Structure formats: structure tokens, C-alpha cells
Amino acid sequence: MLRTNNTVVICVPPPAAGAPCHNEGMVEPDALFDLDPPATQRDSFAALAELPLSDLVSPGWAQALADVEPQLRDVLTFLGTEADAGHHILPSPSNVLRAFAQPFDQVRVLIVGQDPYPTPGHAVGLSFAVAGGTRPIPRSLANIYRELDADLGIPPRVHGDLSAWAGQGVLLLNKVLSVRAGAAGSHRRKGWEAITTAAITALAQRTTADGSPAPLVAVLWGKDAESVRPLLGATPIVSSAHPSPLSASRGFFGSKPFSAVNRLLVEQGAAEVTWELPALP
């Protein structure tokens, strides 16, 4: 097998060492992602605790989270201890701080979640999202799509990749950023709350060049998300019951959150979010 640019050329039979490949008909494009990415220091939670804050999060977030950097290192060290003890921690080290890879100053919508999905293969570091190939999608996300359809007429997707929202400045932030596999809520009160409290507070306190508040709309679904309301100051809030199957029928369905968010963004002079996701991830 030879690699040229972004193409894998498979030679059958394999040529002798150094010989050219003459079987030009067998060509396959590179995979869109590596199923087994090479090991790096990011593959270890303990190693993350040793990296500079500027290597862990984007520059704006590094400044916003500077005061809680010691607490962040403590919780990453805790995750390393958990992993060393044999616990399966979700999401992976490369995704645990994924929400803070987004540019801080470009966030215009905050959607607050609880903690990551505890099902292996589901958590990807963004609240409510899963990897594009995950089937079936979680029921909470299916209910979000159902309400999106009812609100804006956007047909539900079969995938749960919400990165198109994140790319438009929608911050999908869980209050707690990790969990033991199969044990929902297992990493609450382990230190993440201090980090996400600082993050939400910093977002709400942003200002533009003329000193006015930077455009931001917060989406709070359920009592757990409602607990951050005091951090948001004058930030416009869209709130309802949680989209979980246990509560969606008690106020989430019919709440029309997506059109409400866009209306509040326009009132602040910001562009609307394009909520329609690609048909395929």
C-alpha cells in the first residue's frame, strides 16, 4: 500500500521494496477519521493536567478560565486517577474539553446540559450531541429534533452530530464534563462545577467595544440547567422543561426554543442561527 497526497493506493500483489506500484485501478480515498488515532499525550487524562492552559483550551477561554486553572488541573488529575483505577471515563481525553475549543468571543448561544451521556460511544464533549455514526440517537436528542421540526419545520436528522451548531457560536456546555461509563452523575461535585461556573459567568460579562453587553442567549432546559440562571445577569434566557422522555411532555414540547433564540439574537443585533443540520454528518 502506498500513500500519495490524500489517497491510499493498494497494490495487489504488493510490490518489492522500493518498486513502483503498477496496479493503478485500486484506489481508495482516505478515511474521514482514524478509527485508531495514534497515541499522544492527549490520550491520557493525567497528561492533560500537565499541559499549559493555552494548550487545553482556545486563547479566549484560557483568559476566561485563568482564575480556575488550579481547579481544572485538580479535576483532570482526578480523572487520571479514575482511569488508572480501571474506570472507563467518558468522553475521551481528546474530547473532554472540546466545548472550550470554540472561540470564546464568538459564542452567541449557550445551551446548558447536565453531564455527558454515560453510554460508551455517546459522549463527545458537547452537550446533547453524539458522534455522527451513533445509532440510535439518544431519546433526549430525538425530542430536540422533534421540537425543531414543530418550531421551524426542519425535518429530524438520523445522526446526532451538532458540530454545525457549534461552528456558528452555539456553545453546547454540560455543567459537568465527564462521567464514569454506565454511572450517570458520577462525576458531579468532583470539581467541574467551578470550571463551568467560571465559564458561564465570563460569557455573561463580555462586552463589545462600546461597552455594551455582547450578544448572547442562554437556553436552560430543566431544573439542573436553571441553577445557572443567577450567573447570567441580564442575558436573555429561553427556558423550559428538559427534553428527556421523562419530562419533555411537561413543557418542552411546544416551547419553540429555536425561533425564540433567533428572535432574541436579532433584537441584540446579532445574526440568526441556521438550525438546520446537514442531512449526513
Side-chain angles (χ1 to χ4, degrees):
M1 180 178 69
L2 303 178
R3 182 180 293 269
T4 59
N5 297 327
N6 291 320
T7 301
V8 176
V9 180
I10 301 175
C11 303
V12 181
C21 176
H22 297 290
N23 190 352
E24 298 178 354
M26 302 287 291
V27 178
E28 297 179 356
D30 274 345
L32 295 179
F33 55 87
D34 292 327
L35 293 178
D36 297 303
T40 68
Q41 59 182 348
R42 287 186 175 273
D43 293 327
S44 163
F45 288 110
L48 291 182
E50 303 298 324
L51 292 176
L53 186 59
S54 58
D55 285 357
L56 295 171
V57 300
S58 65
W61 282 114
Q63 182 175 354
L65 300 177
D67 288 346
V68 291
E69 181 177 356
Q71 292 95 315
L72 176 58
R73 297 197 182 284
D74 286 345
V75 73
L76 291 174
T77 299
F78 162 73
L79 296 186
T81 302
E82 287 270 277
D84 289 345
H87 298 295
H88 185 186
I89 307 304
L90 304 173
S92 65
S94 61
N95 278 332
V96 72
L97 295 173
R98 181 179 174 185
F100 298 132
Q102 294 178 237
F104 172 76
D105 59 357
Q106 293 180 20
V107 174
R108 53 197 176 116
V109 179
L110 168 67
I111 299 181
V112 179
Q114 299 177 7
D115 53 358
Y117 296 120
T119 303
H122 279 197
V124 293
L126 302 177
S127 62
F128 298 104
V130 293
T134 299
R135 302 288 188 278
I137 62 173
R139 289 179 293 173
S140 291
L141 182 54
N143 286 340
I144 290 171
Y145 285 170
R146 175 178 165 182
E147 181 60 20
L148 180 60
D149 187 10
D151 186 1
L152 297 176
I154 297 173
R157 297 303 186 226
V158 297
H159 68 83
D161 182 359
L162 304 183
S163 56
W165 292 356
Q168 298 179 72
V170 178
L171 180 63
L172 299 157
L173 182 68
N174 283 316
K175 287 179 58 182
V176 173
L177 301 184
S178 65
V179 68
R180 283 186 189 176
S186 52
H187 283 176
R188 296 186 181 188
R189 295 177 293 279
K190 301 297 183 182
W192 283 123
E193 291 86 351
I195 312 306
T196 54
T197 291
I200 293 169
T201 301
L203 283 175
Q205 293 178 348
R206 293 176 309 167
T207 58
T208 61
D210 64 3
S212 60
L216 180 67
V217 178
V219 179
L220 308 181
W221 288 329
K223 292 181 179 180
D224 204 63
E226 279 281 350
S227 69
V228 310
R229 185 182 285 267
L231 307 176
L232 291 165
T235 300
I237 294 171
V238 174
S239 64
S240 74
H242 193 275
S244 162
L246 298 176
S247 57
S249 61
R250 299 199 295 267
F252 176 74
F253 291 138
S255 63
K256 300 186 182 300
F258 305 99
S259 59
V261 166
N262 279 349
R263 182 173 61 253
L264 291 168
L265 285 172
V266 170
E267 289 176 2
Q268 297 175 76
E272 296 183 347
V273 173
T274 299
W275 293 107
E276 185 168 6
L277 296 164
L280 297 174

